[in-house]
Amino acid sequence: MKCVRGLITIGLICLFACTPKSETTLLTLDLKGDYPKKEVFLQDFWEVEYVPLETDSIFLVASNRPWYVGEEYVGFMDNRTGNMLFFDIATGKKSYCVNRKGPGPEEYRGIGALSMDEEKKEVFAWGHWDGVIMVYDVQGNFLRKFPLGRKGEMVMIAGMVDVNQKYFACSAYESISGRYSLCYYLDKQTGERVLLDSIPTERFVSPIIMKEMDGVMRAVEANLSPIVKSVEGFVYADHSNDTIYRVSSDGCMKPMLVRSPFIKETNPEILLKYGSEANGWMFLSSVELDYDFVQEKGLRQKYYGIQKQDGQVYELKYVNKDYPEGEFNVSGANVFYLSVDKLMEALEAGKLYGQLKNVASQLCGDDNGVIMRLRSKVE
């Protein structure tokens, strides 16, 4: 069998054998193509909900994005205080605060990724300075830890999603020398890894741009979502691959979209991001890996929508009817954080409507913001 370019299968993969032949038709996207432009309303594809987050002296959100999105909880990390904050995703009520910041063997100096086993109430936190995943219960008690990478490596976790009772799916890459990236199942109890895909040096593209200015090394990183949880399992969309795959909960991997030109054929390199799917559409975006550190501009993005039935591609602009002047993208778990200062400013300027206007009108300046959830409509 001839494999689609960009795939090295190891471990649980069964590729085309997982699905009937009729379901293996690939969508295509030409990132150099000129597509008709289309303005789409979020409300045409999703039920848009707004949930204000409860606030107190401890539960203060310091991030501009959720670090974890699950079925029951949404989580945020504040590396300044060390607080991992979890809220009820449906009501916004505060649920758990875990803080084990410190230099000890059961503590962390900083967290780079966050996940949770909601059934067992266990928190998985990647301590990026120490190269380990720390596991705690929701009361903050240390349970276990798993090392990542080998000595001398700086392994970065780009994504971690809960797959089933036994495994998380992880996407990670070695950032210092840019030698590889991996997609694997991580055993929640033992830390054992089952490799799904390995991208070696010759195909790996670092999402980090670095430049030395006035004796100081500066860096920017493209915001990517290489693995995204879905109803069937998860979508594997590593930017170094030229193909996006759907992975079922039992580990079967099926190609669903192929890009052109291939990433190594673009200069500057253009990264492809998977966003979401709804009502017969697939939503994606591209990032141009170029940045002007003097003007602090770059990483230009384009947004795409593909009608899955006929493969028609559009270049999109997303509009929220409740906040027409806000800028939105469809990405990952479709849960976004709207900060209170921006909401209050938009409210005072008369730029909010509908449910969002009602929610924002009840906020105070010291409150946490609001999570916006895009929930799929029944097709």
Side-chain angles (χ1 to χ4, degrees):
M1 181 185 297
K2 183 178 180 180
C3 293
V4 176
R5 176 176 173 172
L7 177 64
I8 298 176
T9 53
I10 302 175
L12 302 179
I13 306 307
C14 52
L15 198 57
F16 289 103
C18 302
T19 55
K21 184 176 180 181
S22 61
E23 296 181 17
T24 62
T25 302
L26 294 178
L27 296 174
T28 60
L29 176 61
D30 181 358
L31 295 175
K32 296 291 187 178
D34 185 16
Y35 299 111
K37 292 179 170 55
K38 188 178 183 67
E39 191 174 86
V40 296
F41 293 105
L42 299 180
Q43 285 82 356
D44 290 342
F45 295 93
W46 296 276
E47 300 289 346
V48 182
E49 300 177 353
Y50 307 100
V51 182
L53 299 181
E54 189 175 6
T55 311
D56 67 16
S57 59
I58 295 176
F59 279 77
L60 292 172
V61 173
S63 174
N64 61 1
R65 63 175 179 86
W67 284 55
Y68 165 75
V69 176
E71 297 295 324
E72 297 182 40
Y73 304 102
V74 58
F76 296 83
M77 182 69 210
D78 182 357
N79 272 311
R80 181 183 61 83
T81 64
N83 284 340
M84 297 182 238
L85 303 176
F86 294 90
F87 298 83
D88 185 293
I89 198 170
T91 66
K93 298 294 185 182
K94 58 188 182 183
S95 298
Y96 308 109
C97 174
V98 176
N99 190 326
R100 293 299 301 270
K101 186 174 183 178
E106 298 181 357
E107 299 171 322
Y108 50 81
R109 292 181 289 168
I111 296 301
L114 192 61
S115 196
M116 187 179 189
D117 183 322
E118 295 187 349
E119 182 178 346
K120 296 180 180 178
K121 296 294 188 293
E122 293 182 347
V123 176
F124 291 72
W126 164 48
H128 55 82
W129 292 112
D130 303 300
V132 296
I133 292 179
M134 309 294 290
V135 188
Y136 305 96
D137 64 24
V138 291
Q139 282 74 44
N141 298 307
F142 172 79
L143 301 177
R144 55 195 178 276
K145 61 182 176 182
F146 312 135
L148 293 175
R150 294 164 291 196
K151 187 175 181 179
E153 293 183 331
M154 176 65 80
V155 176
M156 311 286 284
I157 289 185
M160 182 164 56
V161 298
D162 195 10
V163 176
N164 51 40
Q165 291 183 339
K166 184 174 178 62
Y167 292 114
F168 281 113
C170 288
S171 175
Y173 62 93
E174 203 282 317
S175 65
I176 293 179
S177 60
R179 287 186 290 226
Y180 63 83
S181 63
L182 304 173
C183 181
Y184 55 88
Y185 278 168
L186 176 73
D187 189 295
K188 298 176 183 179
Q189 294 299 315
T190 67
E192 180 183 358
R193 291 184 289 181
V194 179
L195 189 62
L196 300 179
D197 190 30
S198 173
I199 300 174
T201 302
E202 60 268 21
R203 291 198 294 115
F204 177 74
V205 176
S206 175
I208 302 174
I209 303 174
M210 304 182 70
K211 184 179 179 65
E212 185 176 344
M213 297 180 64
D214 302 324
V216 178
M217 188 62 70
R218 301 189 182 186
V220 296
E221 183 176 2
N223 181 22
L224 303 172
S225 301
I227 50 176
V228 177
K229 190 171 178 61
S230 67
V231 175
E232 301 176 11
F234 66 96
V235 173
Y236 170 50
D238 192 291
H239 65 276
S240 293
N241 273 337
D242 299 310
T243 308
I244 292 176
Y245 302 90
R246 193 182 306 281
V247 186
S248 63
S249 57
D250 60 0
C252 292
M253 192 156 81
K254 180 182 72 173
M256 53 195 290
L257 180 139
V258 176
R259 59 166 284 171
S260 67
F262 296 135
I263 188 169
K264 286 290 190 176
E265 297 172 353
T266 56
N267 185 21
E269 289 155 328
I270 301 175
L271 315 183
L272 180 61
K273 299 169 56 178
Y274 170 84
S276 184
E277 294 170 73
N279 291 4
W281 286 68
M282 182 185 295
F283 301 99
L284 307 109
S285 60
S286 65
V287 183
E288 192 174 273
L289 204 59
D290 185 52
Y291 192 81
D292 187 324
F293 284 89
V294 176
Q295 299 187 29
E296 297 184 344
K297 293 181 180 180
L299 300 178
R300 186 169 66 95
Q301 297 193 57
K302 285 187 178 181
Y303 308 113
Y304 300 97
I306 303 178
Q307 292 181 315
K308 291 191 283 186
Q309 185 172 4
D310 58 12
Q312 175 64 52
V313 181
Y314 296 91
E315 185 178 336
L316 300 183
K317 177 183 178 182
Y318 298 102
V319 179
N320 182 353
K321 291 181 180 180
D322 297 329
Y323 190 2
E325 294 192 23
E327 294 185 5
F328 296 96
N329 182 20
V330 173
S331 178
N334 281 347
V335 174
F336 308 87
Y337 182 68
L338 308 179
S339 65
V340 66
D341 55 337
K342 290 186 177 180
L343 286 177
M344 299 294 284
E345 181 180 335
L347 180 65
E348 292 176 4
K351 297 178 180 179
L352 299 184
Y353 302 90
Q355 183 191 4
L356 184 56
K357 179 180 179 180
N358 294 335
V359 169
S361 65
Q362 301 177 46
L363 297 176
C364 299
D366 295 331
D367 286 341
N368 285 323
V370 173
I371 57 170
M372 181 177 79
R373 302 175 69 192
L374 307 185
R375 306 190 71 180
S376 296
K377 294 182 177 180
V378 178
E379 298 188 21

